[in-house]
Amino acid sequence: MKCILYSELGSDFLVQGLGLHEEEQGSFTGKLGRHEIEITSSPDSLKNQEEVQVIYIGKAEPGPYRDGDILMAGSDDLLDRAFHALDEMEQRGVVVGLSSEADSYQLNLNRDDLNQTTLAWKEKKVPVLCLFMREPVDLEGQAKLVTIIRKVLND
């Protein structure tokens, strides 16, 4: 299966951490387990993807969570894999909603644009995992994100 990565944090740490190489067209690709990986530089290119899974790495505004927490949203299967990876790392993860609607049972990131995109992916049955960290994301945070992605894609 092909896995598309998009990062709001830049892609250098993903290229190095996942061992990707540059293609002639300037895109970065590689293989991890049974997954072909490609990094895209445009969130618009994620909208029309089919028969792939998407991992979206984003920035979180300060909110009611602790520094260093990994905030997550997405498909149940990929969230389960991410929680398993976090357990192995002894790292705390928090599932969040992406809409601005108030929900007394769930933390929300005000990401209505991404919420609409993830709903469209869900309709098309595209597995998606969104991982968010509060800026600034230091080297330790980048390493955590790479480790989670590696563990999720190797399961």
Side-chain angles (χ1 to χ4, degrees):
M1 177 176 272
K2 187 169 185 177
C3 180
I4 305 292
L5 300 176
Y6 173 76
S7 176
E8 294 177 355
L9 307 174
S11 59
D12 290 346
F13 75 99
L14 293 169
V15 170
Q16 290 177 333
L18 299 173
L20 305 179
H21 59 278
E22 190 170 7
E23 293 289 317
E24 289 180 18
Q25 307 91 319
S27 65
F28 290 94
T29 62
K31 194 159 174 88
L32 184 60
R34 57 187 163 88
H35 298 279
E36 292 178 36
I37 301 173
E38 180 181 331
I39 294 180
T40 184
S41 58
S42 169
D44 292 334
S45 66
L46 299 174
K47 291 181 181 171
N48 298 319
Q49 295 290 338
E50 293 184 26
E51 296 190 31
V52 297
Q53 61 186 3
V54 176
I55 297 180
Y56 187 102
I57 299 154
K59 305 171 189 175
E61 298 293 323
Y65 40 83
R66 300 187 299 213
D67 285 348
D69 282 353
I70 305 290
L71 309 175
M72 304 179 296
S75 307
D76 291 342
D77 181 48
L78 292 177
L79 282 174
D80 287 345
R81 291 185 202 176
F83 269 118
H84 183 68
L86 290 167
D87 285 346
E88 288 179 11
M89 298 166 55
E90 297 181 3
Q91 171 67 44
R92 183 178 135 136
V94 180
V95 174
V96 296
L98 299 176
S99 71
S100 58
E101 295 175 19
D103 182 348
S104 60
Y105 298 105
Q106 185 173 9
L107 292 175
N108 283 306
L109 294 179
N110 190 357
R111 301 293 301 261
D112 284 329
D113 56 330
L114 183 55
N115 186 44
Q116 294 305 315
T117 305
T118 56
L119 290 175
W121 285 328
K122 189 175 185 178
E123 254 180 46
K124 293 180 184 178
K125 297 185 180 1
V126 173
V128 61
L129 176 63
C130 300
L131 303 170
F132 302 95
M133 286 192 87
R134 194 167 119 185
E135 285 196 288
V137 179
D138 58 10
L139 292 176
E140 183 181 339
Q142 291 175 353
K144 287 178 189 177
L145 291 169
V146 167
T147 301
I148 293 166
I149 292 168
R150 281 184 161 286
K151 290 181 179 287
V152 164
L153 294 180
N154 275 329
D155 277 353

